[in-house]
Amino acid sequence: MLRTILLGPPGAGKGTQAVRIVEKYNIPHISTGDIFRENIKNGTELGKRAKAYMDKGELVPDDLVIEIATTRLLEDDCKDGFLLDGFPRTVYQAEKLDEFLKAHDSKLDIVIDLEVGEEELMRRITGRRVCKNCGATYHVVNFPPAVEGKCDKCGGELIQRDDDNEETAKNRISVYKDQTEPLIGYYEKSGNIVHVDGSISPENTFDQIVKAVD
Ligand code: ADP
Ligand code: ZN
């Protein structure tokens, strides 16, 4: 049983660590960004509303995100824990999440804050490539695929996320600083937060997370 939030700026490696954490602790991975991208891909109304914000690097409006996240948390597989990745992203979202958990006799066990410096964030984001087919992520320098433009796992085409261009990435980082970073103080006051170095290798970062969680 582990109820946790992964906090950190865009490019900190939340997605990479999330995959490892959910496997080790056997909990569902709830990524609001993934939910929106899935909806965009399927051309849903929700996807259309979210895309306008995402393409600019802005946040999707709180009420929409809160509705999506809490609906997901009500599903059966979240009874024994969950990993929230990319939610909450504003103090208002965090307050609403607290209210939701309280109403369901639940609470967070730990908040994991991934720390990475700004220059490294830009390098990671703009070099990131994702498989169109299975969602696996690569990096043109740090973690290139065996064959350029092709996914090692499934052979799918590798593309750059619409919001991973330099201009949008810069805006996402500044939106993070304005609206999401205050959450660190929020969770420092209310509970259990650990700060983990996200600039080292993914393996070492994961080791630190496991140590903190256990
Ligand atoms: P990142 O790599 O920036 O952490 P995500 O995949 O988590 O990216 O999110 C991509 C985009 O989806 C964000 O820039 C934002 O527009 C939208 N989004 C995702 N989660 C939230 C949230 N909790 N609140 C508002 N917008 C969100
Ligand atoms: Zn693939």
Side-chain angles (χ1 to χ4, degrees), residues 131-136 138 151-156 158:
C131 173
K132 211 174 162 179
N133 182 44
C134 76
Y138 298 85
C151 178
D152 292 348
K153 291 183 184 130
C154 77
L158 300 187

Side-chain angles (χ1 to χ4, degrees), residues 39-59:
N39 275 275
I40 291 171
K41 202 164 108 190
N42 296 330
T44 69
E45 206 45 51
L46 170 68
K48 282 180 197 146
R49 285 178 67 189
K51 186 169 171 36
Y53 298 97
M54 291 170 74
D55 281 351
K56 286 185 280 184
E58 307 285 335
L59 294 184

Side-chain angles (χ1 to χ4, degrees), residues 106-124:
S106 181
K107 62 169 184 49
L108 294 169
D109 297 312
I110 195 168
V111 175
I112 302 161
D113 171 37
L114 275 184
E115 299 178 317
V116 175
E118 197 166 322
E119 248 172 64
E120 173 68 7
L121 294 176
M122 281 303 292
R123 217 178 56 77
R124 288 186 183 181

Side-chain angles (χ1 to χ4, degrees), residues 79-91:
K79 285 220 161 61
D80 293 324
F82 51 79
L83 171 79
L84 286 170
D85 164 7
F87 177 87
R89 245 183 171 88
T90 63
V91 170

Side-chain angles (χ1 to χ4, degrees), residues 135-193:
T137 59
Y138 298 85
H139 188 280
V140 289
V141 178
N142 296 359
F143 187 49
V147 179
E148 201 191 316
K150 270 208 164 156
C151 178
D152 292 348
K153 291 183 184 130
C154 77
E157 184 195 348
L158 300 187
I159 54 164
Q160 185 172 40
R161 248 168 63 175
D162 285 343
D163 59 351
D164 277 352
N165 64 77
E166 185 156 341
E167 195 192 332
T168 308
K170 273 200 182 126
N171 196 36
R172 283 158 62 203
I173 292 172
S174 105
V175 166
Y176 170 82
K177 281 192 182 152
D178 288 348
Q179 305 197 51
T180 308
E181 212 166 51
L183 284 184
I184 295 174
Y186 177 87
Y187 286 119
E188 252 153 17
K189 253 183 263 158
S190 71
N192 251 343
I193 182 166

Side-chain angles (χ1 to χ4, degrees), residues 50-115:
K51 186 169 171 36
Y53 298 97
M54 291 170 74
D55 281 351
K56 286 185 280 184
E58 307 285 335
L59 294 184
V60 174
D62 279 339
D63 290 332
L64 194 58
V65 184
I66 291 161
E67 170 75 24
I68 300 297
T70 53
T71 303
R72 178 67 187 84
L73 282 169
L74 284 173
E75 282 176 41
D76 239 25
D77 62 340
C78 296
K79 285 220 161 61
D80 293 324
F82 51 79
L83 171 79
L84 286 170
D85 164 7
F87 177 87
R89 245 183 171 88
T90 63
V91 170
Y92 182 74
Q93 290 179 18
E95 288 167 353
K96 289 290 160 188
L97 174 64
D98 276 350
E99 281 172 27
F100 172 88
L101 292 174
K102 213 177 213 166
H104 293 84
D105 282 322
S106 181
K107 62 169 184 49
L108 294 169
D109 297 312
I110 195 168
V111 175
I112 302 161
D113 171 37
L114 275 184
E115 299 178 317

